[in-house]
Amino acid sequence: MTINLSRRRFFAASAAGLVTSGLSTKVLASEDNAIHWDKTVDFLIVGTGFAGLAGALEAHYQGMKNILVVEKMPTPGGNSIINGGAISAAGTDMQKKLGIEDNPDLMFKDIMHHGGHINHPELARKIADESVANYEWLKNEIGVHFSSVYYHGGHSVKRSHGVEEKCGAGFINPMLAKCKEFNIPIRLVDLITNEKGCVLGVRVETHYRNEKGKGTGFENIRSIHGVLIASGGFSQNVQMRMSHDPRLTKAFGSTNHAGATGEMIRLAQRKGANTIHMDWIQLGPWTSPDEKGFGKAPLFVESLVGYGCMVDIKTGKRFFKETGNRKERADAIVALGHPALIYAGAANVKNQVPKTMNAEMLETSIKNGVIGKFDTLKQMADFYHIPYEALEKQNERMNGFLKNKQDPDLGCKFFPDSLPNDKGPFYAVRLWPRVHHTMGGLEINDKAQVIDVDGKPIAGLYAAGEVTGGVHGMVRLGTVAVADCMIIGRTAARTAAAFNGC
């Protein structure tokens, strides 16, 4: 097998505006016999994140010999390599050892419920049903090392399986290790179709020099089994996201890497692809204004939902349940009009945070001021200018809920090992949401085929991961997207292996 990873850039739309290719319709819609092909591969994949690499490796397992993966950024991994480092699976060996009762039906129910039942059920069902097999594939075939199982808001049980590295590199690096070599840098420009609309391959710009430079030539690459688009979403494209939700101005930052600009969605649309759920754009409720991008705060915060206490800094009072799903919590914080605060005592931090952060991450975040550490609740209140008497009363009330494992005020979910936050040091993070995930994208079926505006599959075109819509509906539950990317990426490779070309 040859899996070539070409490390340069697609023809991208900048965050400031949409850019078209400028190529003639005649070139892009030429008949197969009128095109000069510079090279031919068995399968071509756009993007080196979870979905793209899973698709590439599965293509190899399906018997394809010459697999090419193209990437617009200077390094591989995209958003995936900086993600939180966990994947959802329902009914694993790790869960059973911890006494966690879970199954695909419950996971499917959670996905559909928090997705507002606008999810495409056949896609959500596929993710839930194949979640354990995918987890086992990662562990046994790819060499991913899992270390913990923890909770993410909205799930019924703990089913987020974390890797030893505490970040997405724990998945991406073992997957890259299976992809032997990188090829010369190339830049994707457009899809090439025949007169019937079947995708034959791609046209790429070659010899790309730098971020502002231009390519010096073009290559046409024929892909016998079709093209898999696994290029991610559009969280960094302010104009594109405002087109679907005008509230998401540049005032809202993003957790995503700079290349999440959605150009492949628009490119596929120009080929007749349909899109769905484009206005469902998720804000992460666990990001902090005290650091940029995704940062480290989400790893700390999400480990403490169901253990810590989230309050309005101005009042010292709770305002929403800590275990709510991402949309619920983000909307509640934005409604305050200013950052909120989540905090926990020493015991809960000691027991829970190591599942998502190593000691170096924690100490660095404290040193950088992202995580505050205080000997007493009074010190914490003074530092963040929180009314102390109100906070003290709220903390006592919350501690009672933690002891009794019931929250009559807001309905927070607690766990058997949830402890009162009654002893210092107290650890705290300020919260202000950032654009994190675009739930909408290209419409696909359960074979990962891209669907056109007439409801029919586009021959030879597949999509997986955040570039697609349908799986998550209104709300993406934490770590479900990692399963989505890998399961649908692998599904695309299986579908492509059975496709004999246009």
Side-chain angles (χ1 to χ4, degrees):
M1 172 192 64
T2 299
I3 299 181
N4 292 316
L5 286 152
S6 297
R7 293 183 303 166
R8 284 287 199 269
R9 308 150 174 88
F10 313 135
F11 186 79
S14 70
L18 306 184
V19 181
T20 56
S21 68
L23 300 176
S24 70
T25 303
K26 182 177 179 180
V27 171
L28 299 179
S30 296
E31 294 185 21
D32 191 10
N33 58 16
I35 299 171
H36 168 72
W37 298 106
D38 296 287
K39 63 176 64 174
T40 298
V41 298
D42 288 334
F43 194 38
L44 190 143
I45 298 157
V46 180
T48 59
F50 293 139
L53 295 182
L57 294 171
E58 186 63 31
H60 163 65
Y61 293 133
Q62 294 296 318
M64 295 186 218
K65 303 298 182 183
N66 188 7
I67 301 158
L68 176 65
V69 185
V70 294
E71 169 61 58
K72 75 174 180 180
M73 301 303 286
T75 56
N79 277 335
S80 300
I81 204 165
I82 60 172
N83 114 308
I87 189 169
S88 284
T92 67
D93 53 353
M94 292 179 70
Q95 287 177 303
K96 292 173 183 176
K97 288 180 181 178
L98 294 171
I100 300 169
E101 296 184 5
D102 197 12
N103 59 70
D105 289 340
L106 184 58
M107 182 173 172
F108 172 72
K109 182 180 178 181
D110 287 346
I111 294 171
M112 294 298 296
H113 172 71
H114 290 283
H117 292 276
I118 67 170
N119 326 52
H120 287 209
E122 70 280 5
L123 297 177
R125 183 83 253 181
K126 183 178 184 66
I127 303 307
D129 286 349
E130 297 184 20
S131 64
V132 173
N134 187 63
Y135 154 83
E136 291 175 345
W137 178 77
L138 288 166
K139 185 173 69 170
N140 300 326
E141 293 290 335
I142 307 305
V144 172
H145 298 289
F146 293 98
S147 61
S148 61
V149 182
Y150 54 92
Y151 183 79
H152 268 262
H155 289 276
S156 292
V157 299
K158 295 181 179 182
R159 64 165 68 99
S160 297
H161 294 68
V163 296
E164 290 181 352
E165 293 81 355
K166 316 299 184 189
C167 67
F171 295 108
I172 292 296
N173 288 338
M175 296 174 84
L176 286 173
K178 297 285 184 179
C179 303
K180 298 292 185 180
E181 61 181 312
F182 292 88
N183 207 346
I184 60 171
I186 59 177
R187 188 183 186 195
L188 181 65
V189 175
D190 220 323
L191 299 170
I192 298 177
T193 58
N194 65 13
E195 75 283 359
K196 296 180 181 179
C198 183
V199 175
L200 304 169
V202 299
R203 196 177 197 208
V204 299
E205 190 171 319
T206 60
H207 309 299
Y208 192 82
R209 294 191 298 276
N210 56 49
E211 199 64 38
K212 295 183 179 179
K214 293 183 178 179
T216 59
F218 296 93
E219 284 186 346
N220 294 328
I221 303 178
R222 178 78 165 95
S223 183
I224 295 171
H225 293 277
V227 174
L228 167 59
I229 299 176
S231 52
F234 55 94
S235 289
Q236 287 283 17
N237 190 328
V238 177
Q239 180 173 332
M240 188 172 178
R241 74 194 195 203
M242 285 183 66
S243 174
H244 301 287
D245 189 339
R247 298 170 296 178
L248 299 181
T249 66
K250 62 181 180 180
F252 285 93
S254 174
T255 64
N256 287 203
H257 77 122
T261 49
E263 64 273 17
M264 290 304 300
I265 295 174
R266 299 190 304 280
L267 189 155
Q269 285 180 298
R270 291 197 289 270
K271 296 300 178 183
N274 196 39
T275 57
I276 56 173
H277 298 168
M278 292 290 284
D279 53 346
W280 289 105
I281 299 174
Q282 182 177 88
L283 301 180
W286 20 243
T287 50
S288 173
D290 298 318
E291 63 180 345
K292 295 181 179 180
F294 185 75
K296 294 294 187 290
L299 304 178
F300 177 85
V301 173
E302 205 66 2
S303 68
L304 291 173
V305 295
Y307 299 90
C309 183
M310 182 171 67
V311 298
D312 180 346
I313 288 177
K314 288 192 174 182
T315 67
K317 298 179 180 179
R318 295 173 69 218
F319 59 95
F320 197 80
K321 61 182 179 181
E322 291 78 0
T323 51
N325 68 44
R326 292 176 173 184
K327 176 176 172 53
E328 292 171 336
R329 285 185 284 158
D331 287 352
I333 296 170
V334 171
L336 293 178
H338 54 262
L341 186 86
I342 189 168
Y343 71 91
N348 280 321
V349 170
K350 179 181 178 181
N351 293 340
Q352 305 307 323
V353 172
K355 297 175 182 177
T356 58
M357 302 181 80
N358 59 38
E360 182 180 358
M361 289 178 182
L362 180 61
E363 289 304 317
T364 300
S365 297
I366 293 171
K367 181 179 179 180
N368 293 341
V370 177
I371 298 173
K373 182 179 180 181
F374 309 92
D375 291 332
T376 66
L377 199 67
K378 181 66 165 59
Q379 287 181 355
M380 187 183 80
D382 290 345
F383 183 85
Y384 293 111
H385 304 291
I386 305 171
Y388 176 63
E389 290 185 5
L391 178 64
E392 186 178 35
K393 290 179 180 178
Q394 180 64 89
N395 190 62
E396 290 176 359
R397 185 169 177 80
M398 182 65 163
N399 283 341
F401 299 163
L402 285 160
K403 289 178 181 179
N404 296 325
K405 304 297 185 283
Q406 289 185 335
D407 176 11
D409 287 354
L410 297 174
C412 181
K413 181 182 179 67
F414 300 120
F415 303 97
D417 58 347
S418 298
L419 300 172
N421 296 298
D422 54 4
K423 294 181 180 179
F426 293 89
Y427 298 77
V429 169
R430 290 202 308 152
L431 305 173
W432 185 252
R434 292 193 179 107
V435 178
H436 180 60
H437 190 93
T438 50
M439 272 81 72
L442 301 175
E443 182 178 4
I444 59 171
N445 59 20
D446 61 2
K447 297 179 180 179
Q449 296 170 302
V450 175
I451 305 301
D452 69 14
V453 293
D454 295 317
K456 299 177 181 179
I458 298 176
L461 187 61
Y462 320 97
E466 195 176 347
V467 77
T468 70
V471 171
H472 306 289
M474 295 165 53
V475 176
R476 178 179 75 83
L477 294 178
T479 70
V480 172
V482 183
D484 165 27
C485 290
M486 295 185 184
I487 291 170
I488 301 299
R490 296 174 64 199
T491 296
R494 297 186 199 111
T495 303
F499 177 62
N500 294 319
C502 299

